[in-house]
Amino acid sequence: MAQSTKATARLLDKTELDLVARTQRGAIGSLPADDLRELATQLRERRDKARDGARRQKREMRGKAEPKGAKPASDNSGTKAKADALTAALKRVGAERTRRAEKERAPSQRSLARKALALKQRQNAVERPRSRTAGKGMQPVENPKAVKSGALKDAGARPAMMRAKMARRSG
C-alpha cells in the first residue's frame, strides 16, 4: 500500500529520504543512466539492511533470538514499513530502467518509415504476365444437383401442387 509523504519522512533518515525523493515521478526521469544505476545500488543496500533488521526484531519478539539491545524488540512494524518504503522506491527505479531499455530497443521512426516505403514499392511493382496469350478467365461451373427450373421435383413445386389440388377438391 502506498504511504503518504509525511509517513515516509517519519520512517526514513535524511539520506534515505533523499534517495527516495530522487525516485519520485518528476525527478527520476531527469537522472542519467549511471546515476540511476548507483541509486538502485544504494536503495538495495538500505532496503536489505532494513529488511534484515525487521526479521531480527521478529525473531526477538518470538523469543527465537537474543535481543540486540538491552531488551527484546516488542514491535517491528516501523522497520518493516521502512523496508516497504525503500522497496517501493527500488521498484520505481527498476520500472524506469526497464522503460529506458525498451525505448532504446524500439525501432526509430526513420527505420519504420523506410520499411513502410519498401513495402509500398514492392506492392506497387507491375506484375507482368507469364505468357503472351490470354487465360480462360472465370468460367461458370454448373451444379449437377440443381434441377431445372419448372421441374416437378423442384424443391417447393410438388407440395404446392398437392395443396392446390386439395383446395380445388374441397371447394
Side-chain angles (χ1 to χ4, degrees):
M1 187 170 90
Q3 295 176 339
S4 69
T5 308
K6 286 184 180 181
T8 305
R10 211 172 25 249
L11 295 170
L12 306 175
D13 63 19
K14 187 175 180 179
T15 55
E16 291 168 343
L17 191 60
D18 179 51
L19 292 174
V20 170
R22 289 171 53 191
T23 66
Q24 297 304 321
R25 182 176 290 229
I28 198 167
S30 62
L31 286 176
D34 294 338
D35 290 350
L36 200 60
R37 192 177 314 112
E38 180 63 30
L39 180 62
T41 303
Q42 291 173 352
L43 283 170
R44 197 172 293 114
E45 289 171 359
R46 302 284 178 130
R47 182 219 38 203
D48 291 346
K49 184 177 177 182
R51 191 172 27 176
D52 292 345
R55 287 179 182 158
R56 180 188 46 77
Q57 287 174 344
K58 188 174 182 180
R59 287 181 54 81
E60 285 179 16
M61 289 187 311
R62 292 183 302 179
K64 299 279 186 176
E66 293 295 319
K68 186 175 181 182
K71 60 179 185 170
S74 60
D75 187 24
N76 72 337
S77 61
T79 313
K80 188 166 175 17
K82 180 179 186 173
D84 291 343
L86 293 169
T87 300
L90 192 57
K91 283 183 180 180
R92 287 191 295 271
V93 171
E96 176 67 17
R97 290 177 73 184
T98 303
R99 186 191 66 79
R100 288 182 185 187
E102 287 175 358
K103 186 177 177 184
E104 288 176 6
R105 278 196 303 265
S108 68
Q109 192 63 37
R110 182 178 182 182
S111 66
L112 291 173
R114 287 180 187 265
K115 182 179 177 182
L117 178 63
L119 288 173
K120 186 176 180 181
Q121 287 174 343
R122 195 174 341 144
Q123 181 186 15
N124 290 338
V126 177
E127 291 189 25
R128 302 199 182 268
R130 294 182 187 159
S131 69
R132 298 189 77 176
T133 59
K136 292 183 179 178
M138 293 180 65
Q139 299 293 322
V141 178
E142 302 237 357
N143 185 355
K145 295 180 184 177
V147 290
K148 303 240 186 248
S149 179
L152 287 179
K153 294 180 182 177
D154 199 11
R158 189 170 183 163
M161 288 175 63
M162 294 300 288
R163 282 193 302 272
K165 284 183 183 177
M166 296 297 243
R168 277 188 243 145
R169 284 187 189 166
S170 63

